Amino acid sequence: MIEKVYCAEVKPDMDGKKVRLAGWVYTNMRVGKKVFLWIRDSTGIVQTVVARGVVDEETFNTAKKLGRESSVIVEGIVKADERAPGGAEVHVERLQIIQAVSEFPIPENPEQASPELLLDLRHLHLRSPKVAAIMKVKATLMQAAREWLLQDGWYEVFPPILVTGAVEGGATLFKLKYFDRYAYLSQSAQLYLEAAIFGLEKVWSLTPSFRAEKSRTRRHLTEFWHLELEAAWMDLWDIMKVEEELVSYMVQRTLELRRKEIETFRDDLTTLKNTEPPFPRISYDEAIEILQSKGVNIEWGDDMGADEERILTQEFDRPFFVYGYPKHIKAFYMKEDPEDPRKVLAADMLAPEGYGEIIGGSQREEDWEKLRQRIIEEGMDPKDYEWYLDLRKYGSVPHSGFGLGLERLVAWILKLDHIRWATLFPRTPNRIYP
């Protein structure tokens, strides 16, 4: 039985070994009486050699015509050769063609194609080794998150996606018909996680979140993956410590396991290596002063958008926190600062190098009357939040939580020029296909 191996497993020390590969043609080049087929699979690329006289004439002629992304199974002998990628190649003895492709619709160098073409053909673009590298980094970040959360005693829970009310403001809700009434796609699992802390104390979830925002910036999607944590008995400073420890572990562990993929996208790893707690902390007041000193037209009470955050990140070489935001620019569930009622106990984590907010977190309001009043002030009906208000009636406790946008974290780590490349099939205001 010939051993089935992956492309990345073909090494010089396997010289003389007979192997079987299954994959897709990445490059086809003919030199004299040889056809060099570079075969790719999920692990990498290996060079194979189809030589006239070693294989029959029909196989040789067929190999010459194989286009990119033709699917094949190859059997042959590994030969050490320092000229080959990885230092070894496979000399083909048998070539089985699963499906021959004459012309692949994406250029050999995808960077020569327009973003619109790549997005229209996203189902095919996903085959690109660079796209695969992005997805491997993303998967490894979540692997690392699960490792840290398990070690630190957090429970994964599975909240609903169909909901009856807003978390982040009604203007960005996706409304849909739900039998004989209306429902919405979840903006955040937060409210449901808050309910879970009374039995489990420290909970987390990974769910898709939906925001009907018409923002067309490089960091917005209408559907994104949301890593959210909620914990009983923690104040804002406690949850900020959780955030920095979690993010640090995710980044360092991914750097350990996926350095090759990361280096495909960034030459300088300094900011990633700097991602060690404690992260710098500045107040919203200090952030406004920094921006004003740089000539930004912003006043106390204004929200900071992408441009302001980009300028602010130039002051730091690692992720950092901005805390103590004005109450009127933050969500209804955030706890009022007892020392300054103009503010809430909220903190955002910003990534350096211009990427801005990757986490939004806060201490939650645990007082029934104060929370109810905030709901009314925001123009919402307390009846829609009756179950949520109940949490403040029966054994309410101080608690805090946060949400991390997974695609934003990936975009920063890999220095992507747009968040849309950090997800399989991006959803934006003008894109729902494929």
Side-chain angles (χ1 to χ4, degrees):
M1 185 71 178
I2 301 172
E3 182 182 0
K4 161 74 165 63
V5 299
Y6 287 99
C7 291
E9 295 174 331
V10 177
K11 302 291 185 183
D13 61 6
M14 298 174 68
D15 187 71
K17 185 172 183 177
K18 194 166 187 176
V19 297
R20 183 171 181 261
L21 296 166
W24 295 265
V25 174
Y26 185 69
T27 299
N28 184 336
M29 180 176 63
R30 181 182 176 184
V31 179
K33 296 181 179 181
K34 293 180 179 179
V35 176
F36 292 88
L37 296 178
W38 285 23
I39 307 298
R40 69 155 189 89
D41 63 13
S42 63
T43 68
I45 297 171
V46 69
Q47 180 171 286
T48 71
V49 183
V50 184
R52 176 174 269 152
V54 176
V55 300
D56 59 66
E57 197 67 16
E58 181 182 355
T59 299
F60 182 78
N61 290 331
T62 301
K64 290 191 300 183
K65 300 174 185 177
L66 285 176
R68 284 186 304 114
E69 295 306 316
S70 295
S71 48
V72 298
I73 296 175
V74 167
E75 293 177 6
I77 306 295
V78 176
K79 297 291 184 181
D81 190 330
E82 60 183 18
R83 297 169 298 177
E89 61 189 15
V90 176
H91 287 213
V92 177
E93 295 181 337
R94 182 171 180 267
L95 174 64
Q96 181 183 353
I97 298 160
I98 306 304
Q99 186 183 46
V101 174
S102 58
E103 186 175 355
F104 193 60
I106 295 177
E108 186 170 352
N109 181 1
E111 293 178 3
Q112 295 176 347
S114 70
E116 288 307 308
L117 174 66
L118 296 180
L119 291 170
D120 287 342
L121 299 177
R122 184 63 171 171
H123 52 296
L124 302 179
H125 184 219
L126 293 177
R127 304 175 183 207
S128 162
K130 288 193 74 170
V131 176
I134 294 171
M135 298 309 154
K136 288 176 184 179
V137 167
K138 190 174 185 179
T140 305
L141 282 166
M142 275 311 305
Q143 172 191 328
R146 285 189 164 90
E147 289 173 2
W148 188 90
L149 290 161
L150 188 61
Q151 293 167 8
D152 203 55
W154 296 73
Y155 295 97
E156 183 175 8
V157 294
F158 308 90
I161 302 301
L162 292 169
V163 301
T164 58
V167 179
E168 299 295 334
T172 62
L173 282 169
F174 281 107
K175 187 176 182 180
L176 53 87
K177 195 74 165 51
Y178 187 74
F179 299 104
D180 59 350
R181 60 176 298 182
Y182 286 101
Y184 307 93
L185 294 177
S186 173
Q187 297 170 315
S188 164
Q190 179 196 317
L191 307 191
Y192 297 96
L193 297 186
E194 287 188 62
I197 66 172
F198 292 88
L200 297 169
E201 296 197 28
K202 299 198 301 186
V203 299
W204 72 277
S205 68
L206 178 68
T207 63
S209 285
F210 304 86
R211 307 280 173 89
E213 294 177 305
K214 294 183 178 180
S215 300
R216 287 177 170 82
T217 73
R218 69 172 188 162
R219 64 179 194 170
H220 281 89
L221 294 168
T222 55
E223 176 185 355
F224 65 94
W225 284 90
H226 212 174
L227 175 61
E228 297 181 86
L229 277 68
E230 207 72 32
W233 312 109
M234 287 192 185
D235 63 18
L236 177 64
W237 312 107
D238 295 326
I239 205 68
M240 289 166 70
K241 188 171 185 293
V242 171
E243 292 174 41
E244 63 190 2
E245 290 180 359
L246 173 62
V247 168
S248 176
Y249 186 88
M250 291 172 72
V251 172
Q252 299 306 322
R253 182 73 167 136
T254 304
L255 191 56
E256 173 191 350
L257 297 175
R258 294 292 175 193
R259 187 179 185 119
K260 180 183 73 172
E261 286 83 1
I262 293 172
E263 288 179 336
T264 300
F265 294 88
R266 65 155 68 223
D267 299 323
D268 187 354
L269 303 178
T270 303
T271 57
L272 302 185
K273 293 177 180 178
N274 286 346
T275 306
E276 296 281 2
F279 296 172
R281 290 154 165 73
I282 63 170
S283 68
Y284 169 86
D285 297 2
E286 291 172 300
I288 295 299
E289 290 175 3
I290 292 171
L291 291 170
Q292 289 175 341
S293 73
K294 292 180 173 294
V296 178
N297 183 20
I298 191 170
E299 299 295 333
W300 195 98
D302 293 343
D303 201 359
M304 290 188 293
D307 291 339
E308 290 78 19
E309 289 183 358
R310 176 181 52 78
I311 294 169
L312 196 59
T313 66
Q314 295 170 0
E315 300 294 301
F316 299 90
D317 62 355
R318 67 200 68 205
F320 63 98
F321 289 102
V322 178
Y323 66 88
Y325 285 87
K327 180 166 65 175
H328 69 272
I329 63 173
K330 287 297 185 180
F332 71 92
Y333 51 76
M334 296 184 178
K335 184 175 178 62
E336 183 180 285
D337 185 342
E339 296 181 3
D340 187 345
R342 301 176 305 157
K343 300 178 181 179
V344 286
L345 298 178
D348 291 343
M349 182 190 294
L350 278 62
E353 301 172 303
Y355 283 86
E357 184 192 345
I358 52 175
I359 288 181
S362 76
Q363 187 168 337
R364 317 311 194 188
E365 179 53 71
E366 76 270 18
D367 182 270
W368 181 88
E369 183 55 47
K370 288 183 178 179
L371 180 61
R372 182 177 181 278
Q373 187 58 40
R374 285 286 285 137
I375 290 172
I376 294 171
E377 288 173 3
E378 292 296 316
M380 299 181 292
D381 188 346
K383 290 182 180 179
D384 293 335
Y385 295 89
E386 193 168 349
W387 71 268
Y388 183 61
L389 285 163
D390 271 355
L391 302 177
R392 278 71 179 170
K393 281 185 178 180
Y394 306 103
S396 184
V397 298
H399 61 288
S400 301
F402 66 89
L404 180 154
L406 187 56
E407 284 81 9
R408 287 191 179 184
L409 182 60
V410 172
W412 164 55
I413 289 173
L414 298 180
K415 296 193 76 171
L416 302 180
D417 63 6
H418 200 291
I419 195 174
R420 63 192 172 196
W421 306 122
T423 193
L424 275 180
F425 291 95
R427 297 294 180 247
T428 62
N430 62 350
R431 182 164 294 279
I432 193 69
Y433 178 90

